[in-house]
Amino acid sequence: MKLVSKRVCVVSTLFIGLMNFAQGTLKEYQKANAVDSLFKNKVFNTPKEFHWVNNNSFWYVNNAKKGNEFLLVDAKEQKQTSAFNQERLAIALSKILEKEITPNQLPIDNLEFSKDFSNLVFTTDSLKISCDLKSYELTKVQGGYKKSQKRNTYWGDRFDEQIKREVKSPDLLYTAFIKNYNLYIKNVKTQEETQLSYDGSKGFYYSSFLEWSPDSKKIMAYKVRPGEEHKIYFVESSPKNQLQPKLQDRDYLKPGDQLPFKSPQLFDITSKKHLPIATDLFQEQYSISSFDWKDDSSAFTFEFNQRGHQVYRVLEVNVTDGKVKVIIDETSPTFIDYSGKKYRYNLRKTNQIIWASERDGWNHLYLIDANTGKIKNQITKGNWPVREVIKVDEENKQIYFTASGLDVNQDPYLLHYCRIDFEGKNFKRLTTENGNHKVSFSPDYQFYVDQYSSVDKAPVTLLKSVANPKVDMKLQQADITDLLNTGWKAPEVFSAKGRDGKTDIWGIIVRPTTFDPNRSYPIIEYIYAGPHDSFVPKNFQPYYWSMTALAELGFIVVQIDGMGTSNRSKAFHDVCWKNLKDAGFPDRKLWMKAAAAKYPYMNIEKVGIHGTSAGGQNAGAALVFNSDFYDVAVASCGCHDNRMDKMWWNEQWMGYPIGPEYEACSNTANAAQMGGNLMLILGELDDNVDPASTMQFADALIKANKNFELVTIPGMGHSSGGDYGERKRRDYFVQHLMGVTPPTWDEIYK
C-alpha cells in the first residue's frame, strides 16, 4: 500500500508541478543560491560581546542600522551612553592612517579604557594607538601591536630520546627529566645528575609527564607500556604541487585496539627511594589523567576511566606507603558520559569536591568529602539537568551554572542561568524569559548582561543585577524589519510525543520564502543524532546552511532531537547505548507524522534525509533500517560501521569489548536491507572518519545489487562535500523527491 500510494503521489506531484506551480526550477535554484547573501546584514541591534572595565562598567559594539556604535554602560546608575565621540576619532584616525575613515566603520579592535575613562588604547591592522578622550590626540604606542603566541606544552606518552623536557621543582633546587627510558633529577647548582628509576625500558618506559609535590620532596612519574599502533591511509589523488599522487597516513585508534597502560610511580628525593604503586584499582584502563597533589604533599589524586566507560574513579595515593584508595567511584550499567558531563572542582580549604553525576537520573552536582568519598549533600536536584558550571565562588560558597528543562511551558533545551549554595539551598534563577540565554557577568558577579533569543524570536539584550531584581534595563532590542522585507520566514518550533507516548520530542520546521499552504511540499530532514550532544538550533539566526537553501527549492526542511541524544534525562540518553542504529528514528517518524497531520501541505509520503559524519551514518541508516518511511538519503562522510571509526566516540556509546551489537548497527553489514534512493558523498582525505567506512558500505551495496550514487571529491577532508557536494545533494533531492529534472549547472551558476 505504501508503494502504491507513493506512485500515485509521484504522478500527482508531477501533474501539480506542471499545471499549478513549479518547484525545483531554475528560479528556485537561483533563489537558493542567493538566500545567504539575501538575508545577510539584515538584522540589527544584536551585540555579540560585552567587555567589563570594572565591576560597574562595560562597553560593547552595537551593530546599529547606521553602522557600528560603541556604547558605554554604567551598570550601577543604569545609564547607557556613547563610549566616545566616534566622529572626532574618525577624523583623527584618518590623519594618522592617511586614508578616509567613517565614524560608523572604525577599523579598531582590542579597546582598553583607562580607569578614569580619560584615555583609550586600541589597535588597527598595524598600529597600537593611544587616544586622549578630551583632545582626541592620537599617539602611536611604542612596539606596535603583536598578536599573542600560544605556548605548546608537550604532554605526550611516547618516549622520544631527542626531546628532553626538564621540569623544575617548586623550590627550584632540582630539575627532573627522562633519559634512557628512566627518571633522573639534576641539582641545579652543581649540575649533578642522579638516576631515580632503573626499571624503565623501551617496552615499558617513563613518560616525560612529571609532577613534583608542592614541598619538592616527592615526585610522581608514570611508566607507559605502549599500546597498539593503528594507521589509516589516504591517496591524495590531485596534489597542488606535483603531478603524481601522494600517500598520506594518520595514527588512528579504532574500537578494540590495545591502549597504552600507565603505571604511576612515586620517588622520594631525599632518600632516593622508589615506591611502586599497586595498580589493582585501575587495571582496565581507557585513561588515567588529572594528576593533582594535595597542598600539604601528603597525597596525590588522579582520575581513572575504565575501558568501556562504565566505571570512573577519583583515586588517591598516600605518599607514605603508596597505598591507593577510592575517593569517588562512579558507575553505570550503560555508560558514563565522561566526554560531555564530567565535572570536578576541588575545594582545597575544606577538603571537599564538587562533582557532577547522573546517578539520580539527571545530571546534577554533589558535594563530596575528599577524605572519605562520602556525599555530604546533593547540591542541585530536580527533573532537569545541569548543563555547565560557570563559576565556583568559594568565598560565598555559591555556584553559578546553566541548566535546561526548568520550565514546563518552555523548550527543555533552552539554557538558563542559576545560582545555588554549596549546601543545595537558596536556589536562584537569574534568567526566566522564554528563550535561550547567554550571560556576561561583571568581575564581582553582581551585575550581568543577559541576551536571549529563540529561532523564532529576535535577541533581546538586558542589564540585570544578581541582588536587585528591580535592575532590568533593556540595552537593545533586535530590529529584523529589513529581514522580514525579504520574505524571510521564521522557523517554527514544534513538539510531538515520542515513542513512549509521554516524552515531548522537539524540533524545528523551516519553510521557503515562497511558502504557499495550498502547495504540497516534500519533507527533508537534516539529521545529526550523535549522542554526545543535542543539535536542533536554539538561537535566532536568519540562515541555517543545512536547511534554508534546501527549503528554497520547494521543500519543507526539519531538524529534530530524538531519544538517544544528550541534555535530557539519563533514560532519554541511554536509548543510544549499544544501539546507534536507533538514532531516535521512532521519535522522528512520529514527530513528522504529527507535523503533517497539523499541516497537510507537508507530504509525509515523500521524505528525504541528509547528514554528515555521525549524521551521514544516520542518513544511511534511514534507508537501511527505516526505508518504510524515508525515500531518499544523502550521506556525507558517514561512519557506516562503528568498528571502522575512531575509538573514543564509538566505544563511549557502543561499549567495550566489541560485541554483536556493532554488526547489528552497521549500515555495511546490513546493506542488503537498503531501500530507496541513496547518494554517498566522500572526501578522499577524510582523517576524521576513515574513508574506507564509506567505501566498504558502497562495496556491500554493490554486492547486494543495490543501485546508489557515489560522489568522491578529490583533496577534500571531513565535510558535507563543499560546494560540489551541495550541488549534487540539491539535484538528488529535486530529482528523486519532486520527480523533476534539475536545471543544468551552467544555467544556475552563470
Side-chain angles (χ1 to χ4, degrees), residues 397-461:
K397 297 184 178 180
Q398 296 173 326
I399 303 171
Y400 294 80
F401 64 96
T402 59
S404 56
L406 293 167
D407 304 283
V408 294
N409 61 339
Q410 292 188 22
D411 179 333
Y413 295 93
L414 297 178
L415 287 175
H416 284 281
Y417 284 70
C418 312
R419 188 186 71 184
I420 198 168
D421 294 347
F422 288 179
E423 293 78 16
K425 299 177 181 178
N426 298 313
F427 174 73
K428 182 182 179 68
R429 291 280 298 272
L430 301 178
T431 62
T432 57
E433 296 88 349
N434 192 344
N436 202 45
H437 292 256
K438 182 179 180 181
V439 162
S440 173
F441 287 98
S442 62
D444 63 0
Y445 275 70
Q446 294 306 301
F447 294 101
Y448 58 103
V449 179
D450 174 21
Q451 187 177 82
Y452 66 93
S453 71
S454 57
V455 294
D456 55 350
K457 295 176 184 176
V460 177
T461 308

Side-chain angles (χ1 to χ4, degrees), residues 228-242:
E228 178 179 350
E229 184 181 78
H230 193 146
K231 290 184 180 293
I232 56 174
Y233 297 91
F234 319 90
V235 174
E236 185 180 3
S237 63
S238 311
K240 295 179 180 179
N241 60 349
Q242 66 183 51

Side-chain angles (χ1 to χ4, degrees), residues 47 84 111 137 149 280 345 508 520 531 566 575 589 637 649 686 693 717 741:
F84 47 82
L111 275 67
E137 181 179 338
Q149 300 291 324
D280 307 56
Y345 186 93
I508 61 172
S520 176
S566 190
V575 170
K589 296 175 188 178
C637 293
W649 195 89
D686 184 354
S693 184
T741 301

Side-chain angles (χ1 to χ4, degrees), residues 452-480:
Y452 66 93
S453 71
S454 57
V455 294
D456 55 350
K457 295 176 184 176
V460 177
T461 308
L462 303 173
L463 170 66
K464 296 181 179 180
S465 167
V466 173
N468 184 2
K470 292 183 179 180
V471 176
D472 193 356
M473 176 186 176
K474 183 179 286 188
L475 299 174
Q476 298 295 336
Q477 170 70 61
D479 179 0
I480 63 169

Side-chain angles (χ1 to χ4, degrees), residues 271-287:
S271 66
K272 309 298 187 294
K273 287 186 177 180
H274 175 190
L275 189 63
I277 296 168
T279 61
D280 307 56
L281 291 172
F282 50 96
Q283 269 294 316
E284 300 174 57
Q285 294 179 15
Y286 177 78
S287 67

Side-chain angles (χ1 to χ4, degrees), residues 121 174 212-213 228 231 316 373 381 400 403 494 530 553-554 620 637 652 694 722:
V121 176
Y174 292 93
W212 286 91
S213 62
E228 178 179 350
K231 290 184 180 293
E316 180 181 287
K381 193 172 186 179
Y400 294 80
F494 187 82
L553 294 175
C637 293
Q652 166 81 98
T694 293

Side-chain angles (χ1 to χ4, degrees), residues 25 140 183 358 364 440 456 468 487 539 568 572 579 661 665 714:
T25 65
K140 294 180 183 178
L183 175 65
E358 292 186 283
H364 281 300
S440 173
D456 55 350
N468 184 2
N539 294 318
R568 299 283 287 273
F572 189 100
N579 188 31
E661 48 277 338
C665 288

